[in-house]
Amino acid sequence: MGVLEGRVAIVTGAARGVGAGIARAFAKEGARVVVVDLDEEGAAGVVAELTPYAEALALRCDIRDSAQVDACVASVVARFGSVDVLVNNAIDAVSARFEETTDDELDRVLDTGPKATLYFMRACFAHLRDSGYGGRVINLRSGSEPQGLAGFGAYVASKAAVAGLTRVAAREWGRHGITVNNLAPFVLSEGARSYFDERPEELEKIILKTMSVPRLGDAEHDVGRAAVYLAGPDASYVTGVTLSVDGGGSFFS
Ligand SMILES: NC(=O)c1ccc[n+]([C@@H]2O[C@H](COP(=O)([O-])OP(=O)(O)OC[C@H]3O[C@@H](n4cnc5c(N)ncnc54)[C@H](O)[C@@H]3O)[C@@H](O)[C@H]2O)c1
C-alpha cells in the first residue's frame, strides 16, 4: 500500500514539468490526484499516465482568477469528498532585466505566484483542516530567490512573497493539523528549457560550477519523491521549512 493511499491531492500546473513529476510520484503512492492547468491537452495526457496507479482528474482552471479557483476546489470536493494535499506549483515565469520589466510581466508572475497560492490555500483551508490525515500544503519556491538571480527581478519577488505566505500559514495552521512547506527544485522542465535553450553555456556553468551534485534533477524521482515525503505521514512534525531538491545549488538558511 502506498504512503499516500486514500489522500486527495491537488497539484497546480501539473500538465508538464515539475508539477507532472509530483503528480506521478503521488499517484504511484496511491493518492488520487487532480491535475490543474490551463493546458487541457497536457493535463489529460498526465491523467492518462496516472490512472493505472490511482484515480485522477484533469481540471482546467486559470489560477489567476479566484472565482475559478473556488469553483475548481468545489469540483474536487464534489468528486472526491476532500482535499488532503495542495501543491501550489503553477507559474507563468518571466525573465527580464530589472529596468526593462513591464507591468504585464510583473502581473503575470505575481498573479500566478503569491496571489494564486493564496487563493488556493484560502479555498482549501477548511478541507485541509478537516482532513483525516492532517492537511498538507507544498508551495514551490526557487533558489533564484536567496541568490537574487540577475534577470529575474519579478520572478524572485514572486517567490519571496510565496515564501512569506508559507511562513505565516505554517504559524497559523499548525494548530489545525496542517503543515505548510516549500520545495525548491532544479529540473530542466519545459519552462526552464525555453530559457536555457537560448543560453546553453549558462546551463553548463550552473551544473558544473554552482551545483554540489552536478546533474539535472528529475521531476518525478527527485522532486516528486521529496513532495511525497512532505505530503506523507513521516512529515507531520515538519512545517515552515524549505526543502531544496536542486543538487545543492542553493543553500537556504
Ligand atoms: N524548473 C526548475 O528548475 C525550477 C526551479 C525553481 C523553481 N521552480 C518552480 O517550480 C514550479 C514548476 O516549474 P516548471 O519549471 O515545471 O514550470 P513550467 O513552466 O514548465 O510549467 C508551469 C505550468 O503552469 C501552468 N500554468 C501557467 N499559468 C497558469 C495559469 N494561469 N493557470 C493554470 N496553470 C498555469 C502551465 O500551463 C504549465 O503547465 C514553479 O513554481 C517554478 O517557479 C522550478
Side-chain angles (χ1 to χ4, degrees):
M1 188 167 120
V3 296
L4 300 182
E5 206 78 46
R7 288 166 173 76
V8 177
I10 294 176
V11 186
T12 70
R16 69 184 199 185
V18 172
I22 293 172
R24 289 184 191 106
F26 280 3
K28 288 180 184 176
E29 288 292 346
R32 288 166 286 173
V33 180
V34 183
V35 175
V36 172
D37 212 292
L38 270 181
D39 171 4
E40 291 178 274
E41 203 184 318
V46 172
V47 163
E49 278 183 59
L50 305 186
T51 42
Y53 302 98
E55 261 185 287
L57 173 68
L59 284 181
R60 186 188 188 281
C61 172
D62 185 340
I63 65 169
R64 295 169 296 184
D65 177 351
S66 67
Q68 288 193 38
V69 171
D70 290 347
C72 171
V73 173
S75 301
V76 174
V77 173
R79 168 75 181 266
F80 291 127
S82 65
V83 180
D84 306 293
V85 181
L86 167 66
V87 182
N88 286 301
N89 167 84
I91 193 80
D92 186 3
V94 298
S95 164
R97 282 181 208 276
F98 203 103
E99 65 279 12
E100 290 168 7
T101 304
T102 64
D103 293 0
D104 177 59
E105 286 169 334
L106 188 58
D107 285 344
R108 276 168 51 195
V109 81
L110 292 178
D111 288 352
T112 54
K115 289 179 75 175
T117 296
L118 194 144
Y119 296 157
F120 262 102
M121 289 174 70
R122 186 174 66 189
C124 289
F125 168 69
H127 308 294
L128 294 164
R129 181 195 58 200
D130 297 340
S131 162
Y133 301 98
R136 298 281 198 274
V137 179
I138 301 171
N139 293 330
L140 271 290
R141 196 179 174 187
S142 169
S144 64
E145 178 219 315
Q147 283 172 43
L149 189 65
F152 287 86
Y155 178 76
V156 163
S158 167
K159 291 294 164 185
V162 168
L165 293 175
T166 299
R167 284 194 288 274
V168 173
R171 288 266 185 229
E172 292 190 10
W173 292 0
R175 75 198 61 185
H176 300 297
I178 304 169
T179 66
V180 188
N181 293 294
N182 298 304
L183 262 184
F186 186 63
V187 167
L188 198 56
S189 61
E190 289 82 341
R193 194 171 292 128
S194 67
Y195 175 79
F196 286 117
D197 272 355
E198 291 164 26
R199 307 162 181 85
E201 68 300 332
E202 210 174 301
L203 181 61
E204 199 180 315
K205 195 173 118 201
I206 290 174
I207 294 172
L208 295 178
K209 298 215 172 124
T210 67
M211 294 176 68
S212 314
V213 179
R215 68 166 173 86
L216 287 165
D218 183 88
E220 178 186 342
H221 301 291
D222 294 313
V223 185
R225 293 304 304 169
V228 166
Y229 164 69
L230 289 176
D234 292 337
S236 65
Y237 200 50
V238 177
T239 197
V241 307
T242 296
L243 182 52
S244 302
V245 190
D246 64 353
S250 56
F251 296 142
F252 287 84
S253 51

